[in-house]
Amino acid sequence: MKSYLRMLPPLQWLSALSAVLGGILQTVCIFRYLEDGSNYFLTGAILPGIAVGLCILSLALGTVAAATTKPEQLAKTIFSNRPIRCTPTVGFLAPAIALLFYEEKKLSVLTAFFLLLAVAYALFVNTPKLRRYTVPTALLGFATVAACALLNAYFYFDVSVEMNAPIKTALQAGLLASMLYFTGELRYLLGTPRPRIFLAMCSWVVALGSLTAIAFPISYFCGEFSRADYGAGALLMLFMVMTAFAQIIRLYNPPAHDEKQPESAPDSERNPT
């Protein structure tokens, strides 16, 4: 048990605990306090505010933990020489399929296209043999940022759900954090990492994503609301939270001989004559 506790500093564990508690409370709130036929919680309900407060606390604790960590204590790479199983691959695929079949709008099709490109990137960047092709992998990586932005725009312009409804705003906050996460990941791929900033971004994904990662998929499959697009978007956040937390653990626990990145070497160095 002590070895697990030492994997992360106390502030990061407190940040993770706050995110988990916030996610659990949000799940309870959707089943107990979501008004029938509405996208709002019952007036006067206290637990929804506490759930949001816990997630904000998680974000603050994670940010402070990242800011107070010395860069030399962190792993030099977030990529492994082994294929990583916990990736957002399936997460990107879920809303892509949902948008293609849920509604026929130009924004839906465009968003689904970039989500499918993001699936390809997730496969490339987490497969060492494919990640060696740095340039095409990085180009695909920009699709993740565009996919999150377009998915956010899709939810923003969805007039069937009120602009300030908790279901919409919570999902948008997680997607914004995910956009920042992928900009940080691309810096590692391109050889210009910012370890502490990326660590903070991972904490933001865990904190903000926890509001939807558990609550929305469960409530969708239990029939609490019938919007497949929102349920699929929340499923993406579930995989994003798992991925971001895995990266936090990896950053704080570098290998004994910290891994280099030959798989990200320039093309001219990979094929000597």
Side-chain angles (χ1 to χ4, degrees):
M1 182 64 178
K2 289 183 179 180
S3 62
Y4 284 106
L5 291 176
R6 291 172 182 170
M7 291 175 68
L8 297 177
L11 278 179
Q12 282 290 1
W13 279 123
L14 288 174
S15 175
L17 179 61
S18 297
V20 170
L21 291 176
I24 293 173
L25 278 183
Q26 181 82 334
T27 306
V28 172
C29 291
I30 286 182
F31 279 94
R32 187 168 183 179
Y33 297 112
L34 194 66
E35 290 185 294
D36 293 336
S38 170
N39 297 308
Y40 292 92
F41 294 116
L42 293 172
T43 304
I46 299 176
L47 282 184
I50 295 177
V52 173
L54 284 169
C55 291
I56 293 175
L57 176 62
S58 171
L59 186 149
L61 290 172
T63 303
V64 173
T68 55
T69 300
K70 296 179 180 178
E72 57 269 21
Q73 294 176 328
L74 300 174
K76 292 181 174 60
T77 176
I78 59 171
F79 303 120
S80 173
N81 288 330
R82 299 177 180 178
I84 300 176
R85 296 177 181 177
C86 180
T87 74
T89 307
V90 177
F92 280 122
L93 189 59
I97 295 173
L99 292 188
L100 284 174
F101 291 96
Y102 192 80
E103 291 185 13
E104 294 183 359
K105 292 181 179 179
K106 290 183 179 180
L107 185 58
S108 302
V109 175
L110 182 63
T111 305
F113 172 74
F114 277 94
L115 286 167
L116 291 175
L117 289 180
V119 171
Y121 166 76
L123 291 173
F124 264 68
V125 81
N126 288 291
T127 305
K129 290 182 179 180
L130 297 177
R131 190 170 63 242
R132 293 175 63 88
Y133 302 98
T134 310
V135 174
T137 303
L139 289 175
L140 281 174
F142 288 105
T144 60
V145 180
C148 291
L150 287 168
L151 193 56
N152 222 330
Y154 170 84
F155 291 127
Y156 180 84
F157 291 111
D158 177 22
V159 295
S160 65
V161 177
E162 297 82 356
M163 192 66 67
N164 62 342
I167 289 176
K168 175 180 284 190
T169 55
L171 197 50
Q172 287 180 306
L175 288 170
L176 285 172
S178 298
M179 287 173 57
L180 295 175
Y181 168 90
F182 284 113
T183 60
E185 183 173 284
L186 285 171
R187 290 187 70 95
Y188 274 92
L189 185 64
L190 296 172
T192 58
R194 301 293 296 272
R196 290 197 295 184
I197 294 177
F198 181 71
L199 185 60
M201 291 174 179
C202 289
S203 298
W204 301 346
V205 172
V206 173
L208 297 175
S210 63
L211 276 175
T212 57
I214 302 173
F216 286 17
I218 291 177
S219 55
Y220 172 74
F221 286 113
C222 290
E224 285 299 307
F225 65 91
S226 59
R227 293 295 299 266
D229 47 354
Y230 282 80
L235 191 61
L236 168 59
M237 289 314 307
L238 174 61
F239 280 87
M240 284 303 307
V241 167
M242 292 190 296
T243 301
F245 189 68
Q247 295 289 27
I248 290 173
I249 293 175
R250 180 171 178 80
L251 282 168
Y252 276 111
N253 296 273
H257 301 286
D258 209 345
E259 298 177 26
K260 297 179 182 180
Q261 299 184 56
E263 66 276 10
S264 296
D267 291 339
S268 59
E269 296 179 12
R270 287 195 298 270
N271 299 303
T273 55

